[in-house]
Amino acid sequence: MASRGRSDDGSPALTYDVAIVGAGVVGAAIARELGQYDLACVLVEAADDVGTGTSKANTAILHTGFDATPGTLEARLVRRGHALLLEHGPRLGIPIERVGALLVAWTDEQDAALAGIAAKAAENGYAATRRVERDELYRLEPHLGAGAVAALAVPDEHIICPFTTPLALATEAVANGVALRLGAAVERVAQADGAHVLETSAGSVVARWVVNAAGLHADTIDRLFGHDRFTVTPRRGELIVFDKLARPLVRHTILPVPTATTKGVLVAPTVFGNVVLGPTAEDVPDRAATGTTAEGLASLLGKGRRILPELVREEVTATYVGLRAATEHTDYQIAFHADQRYACAGGIRSTGLTASMAIAKHVAQGLRDAGLVLRRRDAFREIRMPNIGEAFPRPYQEPARVAAHPDYGCIVCHCERVTRGEILDAARAPIPARTLDGLRRRTRAAFGRCQGFYCLAEVTRLLAGATGETPARLLRTP
Ligand SMILES: Cc1cc2nc3c(=O)[nH]c(=O)nc-3n(C[C@H](O)[C@H](O)[C@H](O)COP(=O)(O)OP(=O)(O)OC[C@H]3O[C@@H](n4cnc5c(N)ncnc54)[C@H](O)[C@@H]3O)c2cc1C
């Protein structure tokens, strides 16, 4: 357990047992996992909220891992992570839907590859794929573009909420005593009294063990510990979100036959009732290159036109970019250093949302093997996040709830049907929304068709009132 020690300036400071750097979905999952043990842990995050890095900008597929490279750590952890999120996600209130995927072959050559992909899936422990002939394919997906030859059905591919997942994991960690330090970017690491002193942009954090889950910056943190095992080269993925009117056009996630370098561009429903097209895959030098490009969007529309011609005629709600933490290696970079009391969970490339809970278990086991004593706490407090997915009742659809608390009947964001009650709850949650972006990820407010054109003033006023922030500060762009 935590003890009193000295910080670098000599003042008394809490010495944590474990500091986890980075509150993306991976760091949040690790914090939640360690929160089950009799340890004092702290989750240290540079940004002002949980899940603002790669974890907020992905394709939001809960992968089966059918197409992973057999034998890799990634293949194993994706498979296990899929099962863990299906087990814990519903209890945590994470919106998850089993839509299944169809991996569509558009050429005879791609058709010939389907059997090999099915065999690879079986090697990865996933035997439920099945070949779908052309006629059945068009019955299953009547709006599919002309010219498809056949498909491989992957029935256990799900869609998941990328925003609720890190928030739920971090909230359950905090509910079980894990401290959360937001706005604290780790800049240097020193040693004092047998502990690591993480010097952050907001003061020191002292911990006996450190877990690096810093996503795009995991290599930088790794180098602070003297290692030089990988370099992150961000792989930019641009995506287009289509209006909810497009949702009836597609029933499954439509995947392309992957190439050696990319899983390719897919069309998928979202748990919010939209349709997403993407992502592109382009290596970029800048770890902050989160702007879309004309070329990227044009290339997506070209591919989308072939996959689902009617989709590209629908209106676009939003576009966004995510940066995968690609490295020179083809597997996750997870390593343990007992001598340093340090673990690195880096290089979590394009599957980390799915694998997050399995990565957390793997890291906990690695820390145990490295000498960290893990004793289960007697009690573990479970939490449940407010539902923001379309497949389950939203508050405005629950008469008893509205009758008990009329704020849940007062819709503020009409595109996404977000109520005053949900906005106030988000502002008072254990990890509260402190920004409009944070509020969007917790409630969907200002996230829809009008992107806040009609509701932003009222949404801002409510958030400002509940948090004590001024509307002007909330509306400033970072
Ligand atoms: C386009 C795209 C599509 C994807 N699609 C899918 C998908 O469908 N399914 C799936 O499973 N996965 C998908 N992924 C992958 C998934 O999103 C990532 O693997 C996952 O989000 C990585 O989580 P993370 O916690 O490692 O990183 P991040 O979410 O980036 O979190 C790292 C955190 O560390 C913080 N940090 C960095 N440096 C410091 C520091 N010095 N001090 C303190 N904090 C620091 C950052 O602020 C950040 O919050 C996709 C990714 C992309 C880009």
Side-chain angles (χ1 to χ4, degrees):
M1 283 295 286
S3 58
R4 287 274 159 191
R6 275 185 301 110
S7 67
D8 51 346
D9 65 359
S11 60
L14 188 68
T15 300
Y16 291 98
D17 294 310
V18 188
I20 303 118
V21 181
V25 71
V26 172
I30 294 169
R32 178 200 165 273
E33 182 67 26
L34 295 180
Q36 298 178 68
Y37 298 98
D38 199 12
L39 295 169
C41 300
V42 59
L43 182 57
V44 185
E45 168 57 49
D48 56 7
D49 200 359
V50 165
T52 62
T54 303
S55 297
K56 77 166 183 187
N58 50 51
T59 321
I61 311 286
L62 181 58
H63 296 295
T64 54
F66 78 96
D67 56 348
T69 305
T72 57
L73 182 62
E74 181 176 19
R76 185 152 59 85
L77 296 183
V78 168
R79 189 92 196 93
R80 191 171 182 210
H82 179 265
L84 284 168
L85 269 167
L86 287 180
E87 181 190 339
H88 292 276
R91 173 184 69 68
L92 284 159
I94 300 171
I96 300 178
E97 286 179 56
R98 184 178 189 263
V99 292
L102 290 168
L103 193 142
V104 176
W106 297 92
T107 63
D108 290 341
E109 197 185 351
Q110 290 176 0
D111 185 14
L114 295 183
I117 295 170
K120 189 183 196 185
E123 219 182 315
N124 281 322
Y126 184 71
T129 60
R130 107 185 142 82
R131 185 178 165 82
V132 174
E133 300 300 344
R134 187 184 175 285
D135 288 354
E136 185 190 352
L137 174 59
Y138 280 97
R139 271 199 306 280
L140 291 173
E141 288 293 351
H143 300 276
L144 198 65
V149 180
L152 189 71
V154 191
D156 298 294
E157 292 277 300
H158 289 63
I159 51 174
I160 184 167
C161 177
F163 307 134
T164 311
T165 308
L167 272 166
L169 295 168
T171 302
E172 201 156 79
V174 167
N176 286 285
V178 175
L180 178 62
R181 289 278 299 269
L182 296 172
V186 174
E187 290 163 350
R188 282 177 301 278
V189 181
Q191 307 300 318
D193 297 341
H196 302 290
V197 181
L198 303 180
E199 293 168 6
T200 83
S201 52
S204 301
V205 174
V206 186
R208 293 194 304 113
W209 294 73
V210 172
V211 178
N212 168 7
L216 292 167
H217 299 280
D219 55 346
T220 309
I221 299 291
D222 206 37
R223 288 193 176 99
L224 296 181
F225 283 85
H227 304 285
D228 191 10
R229 75 187 106 216
F230 65 96
T231 299
V232 173
T233 303
R235 187 158 299 154
R236 175 161 60 192
E238 304 187 36
L239 295 108
I240 301 176
V241 182
F242 288 89
D243 190 84
K244 291 174 204 297
L245 290 173
R247 182 64 187 82
L249 293 176
V250 61
R251 298 170 185 168
H252 303 77
T253 294
I254 310 285
L255 301 172
V257 172
T259 67
T261 50
T262 170
K263 284 175 187 289
V265 169
L266 58 78
V267 171
T270 77
V271 293
F272 309 128
N274 300 80
V275 177
V276 70
L277 169 67
T280 55
E282 177 200 1
D283 287 352
V284 291
D286 180 0
R287 297 179 195 212
T290 52
T292 52
T293 64
E295 302 76 37
L297 298 179
S299 130
L300 285 182
L301 290 174
K303 294 201 164 86
R305 195 165 289 119
R306 168 143 204 216
I307 304 167
L308 214 62
E310 291 163 75
L311 179 67
V312 297
R313 292 202 286 272
E314 291 293 341
E315 298 204 2
V316 169
T317 296
T319 56
Y320 65 95
V321 161
L323 299 173
R324 308 163 183 90
T327 72
E328 62 274 50
H329 306 286
T330 52
D331 204 352
Y332 292 168
Q333 295 301 297
I334 303 185
F336 302 92
H337 298 275
D339 53 333
Q340 289 181 296
R341 297 184 314 283
Y342 165 67
C344 175
I348 311 298
R349 314 166 330 142
S350 53
T351 48
L353 172 60
T354 304
S356 52
M357 293 190 81
I359 294 172
K361 291 205 179 291
H362 181 75
V363 165
Q365 184 57 49
L367 292 173
R368 186 198 294 269
D369 294 345
L372 178 66
V373 177
L374 297 183
R375 255 189 318 265
R376 273 200 188 272
R377 278 188 211 284
D378 293 340
F380 182 74
R381 208 183 131 211
E382 296 187 341
I383 61 98
R384 187 177 177 83
M385 301 298 285
N387 168 49
I388 63 168
E390 279 298 286
F392 312 97
R394 301 268 308 285
Y396 76 93
Q397 295 168 313
E398 296 183 89
R401 194 160 175 195
V402 174
H405 300 284
D407 276 351
Y408 294 114
C410 173
I411 291 183
V412 177
C413 164
H414 288 263
C415 298
E416 298 295 306
R417 295 184 178 82
V418 182
T419 62
R420 180 188 158 90
E422 291 166 281
I423 292 172
L424 295 178
D425 285 350
R428 296 167 185 152
I431 304 177
R434 286 281 172 262
T435 61
L436 288 167
D437 199 31
L439 185 70
R440 271 190 199 103
R441 289 195 302 276
R442 286 164 177 82
T443 64
R444 295 168 49 173
F447 193 56
R449 174 68 183 259
C450 87
Q451 293 283 291
F453 185 86
Y454 291 104
C455 66
L456 198 59
E458 179 62 2
V459 166
T460 307
R461 195 186 65 75
L462 281 173
L463 187 63
T467 59
E469 276 290 355
T470 62
R473 266 181 70 88
L474 287 173
L475 286 167
R476 82 186 190 291
T477 40

